Amino acid sequence: MARTGDDTKQRIREAGVALLSAEGLSGVSLGALAERARMSKSGLFAHYRSKDDLQIDLLLASTEISARVVVTPAMSAAPGLPRLEAIFGLWCGWSRRAGLPGGCPIAAALFELDDLPGPVRQTVVDLEARWRGLLAGFVRGAIAAGHLPEALDVDQVVWEMTGIYLAHHAAMRLVRAADADDRAQAAFSRLIASAADDQKTQKTRE
Amino acid sequence: MARTGDDTKQRIREAGVALLSAEGLSGVSLGALAERARMSKSGLFAHYRSKDDLQIDLLLASTEISARVVVTPAMSAAPGLPRLEAIFGLWCGWSRRAGLPGGCPIAAALFELDDLPGPVRQTVVDLEARWRGLLAGFVRGAIAAGHLPEALDVDQVVWEMTGIYLAHHAAMRLVRAADADDRAQAAFSRLIASAADDQKTQKTRE
DNA sequence: GGCTATTTAGCACGACCGGTCGTTTTATTT
DNA sequence: AAATAAAACGACCGGTCGTGCTAAATAGCC
């Protein structure tokens, strides 16, 4: 078996995710990626059916990495609120910790594919929904552990966590603000403190 | 006097901001914009020194619109907290209210120009800083009016408002979530409520 | 070593990119 | 009506884009 092609594909994915992180979806062109993977444009293209296919594969590869450096390590924290706090801390700036040269590829793609339709956009939407569901599970875990009130609007908390993450991304990448981590942590702490007294964020709709 | 060229430039800017809103900076190519402004590529280009120049002009045009539909109307609200609440409400989804076909051009550019350097990026950074300063002024206004505590960390509040705005943008444009406005409003209310009791968000550093 | 399947490279294509050219149209002034 | 200046035009430059088609290299198996 020992097919050589798998090694090459691995190389492509590595270089591709790095490029995706650094320059966004629009920066991932066949030529640029081929150069970085040290192979010809057509040789690279032979591994994919289309550019959409490539982009989707790179997005999936990104989530595989994030699962490895964000979700898995968070599971070693105690269930409930500690685990929720762990995953948020690991989430912010995970791309840096994963050795990527730029920011979170999915966050960038979120804004890049605003509304232009197509399979790539759908992939991003799906990945985002899945991640949102995963976060919601962590929040529910904190509720089950009695650390957060039953009546909490889980989706609202996840929604606001996403906002903090996006602000962190922007602060890090665009403004290059050194205090981004502190700001994000402060915002998250306030969110949790506010969620803890069920007065403020209790569920209003079904 | 009565120069014809100004009308044309006006048409270019209008079509350009619309295109920028719909497809982002990368969607604004000379050819595509020329087609939408119903003129030739070269005729369009004659109005600018370079593509960077064009993009910068369109970004400025966007802020002019936002100033008209966000800042100005907010000034008619009572000074202090009401005015702060007004500008936040007007901020979220302003592009839709301004008749643009897509989302906030600056927010999109924020993520599109992650880190690739150049004059366009610098423009976005500057515009963002200016907007941030403007928001900070509104927050300080609420403090001056006695609606928010003196010890409040103003920048932190602005930072979190930005997060809510970005989450709102993503929810509207990507997920097409119908409840984006409600979510944003709830998050903002919680932020203000939390800021009102100075325990949580008091200034820690200088 | 030769056979065959896979993997890579080479090459060409049409479309579009940002940008420049000389020319034609349009409007203003005399 | 003639002269002049501004504005828009169409053609075209070198490049890069995504994507096919074909040939060369490289592997595993007998």
Side-chain angles (χ1 to χ4, degrees), chain A residues 22 110-111 114-115 121 153 155-156 159-160 163 167-169 173-174 176 183 186-187 190-191 193-194 201, chain B residues 22 110-111 114-115 121 153 155-156 159-160 163 167-169 173-174 176 183 186-187 190-191 194 201 205:
Chain A
L110 264 178
F111 281 72
D114 281 302
D115 52 349
R121 192 196 115 96
D153 186 342
D155 289 340
Q156 177 73 23
W159 200 94
E160 296 192 31
H168 178 266
H169 182 108
R173 310 260 312 138
L174 192 93
R176 273 115 163 74
R183 293 276 179 218
R190 215 183 33 62
L191 171 60
S194 179
T201 47
Chain B
L110 263 178
F111 281 72
D114 281 303
D115 52 351
R121 192 196 117 95
D153 186 341
D155 289 340
Q156 177 72 24
W159 199 94
E160 296 192 31
H168 178 267
H169 181 107
R173 311 261 308 139
L174 192 94
R176 273 111 162 75
R183 293 277 178 215
R190 215 182 34 63
L191 170 61
S194 178
T201 47
R205 81 192 61 82

Side-chain angles (χ1 to χ4, degrees), chain B residues 65-100:
Chain B
I65 298 176
S66 78
R68 189 164 3 109
V69 307
V70 178
V71 183
T72 307
M75 296 309 287
S76 65
L81 191 51
R83 188 168 290 178
L84 178 61
E85 286 168 338
I87 201 172
F88 183 81
L90 288 163
W91 186 20
C92 283
W94 69 268
S95 63
R96 185 188 356 144
R97 242 176 344 268
L100 296 181

Side-chain angles (χ1 to χ4, degrees), chain A residues 1 54 65 68 87 92 111 120 126 138-139 179 192 196:
Chain A
M1 231 117 302
L54 204 194
I65 298 175
R68 189 163 5 106
I87 201 171
C92 282
F111 281 72
V120 182
D126 293 346
F138 277 65
V139 175
D179 58 355
I192 294 302

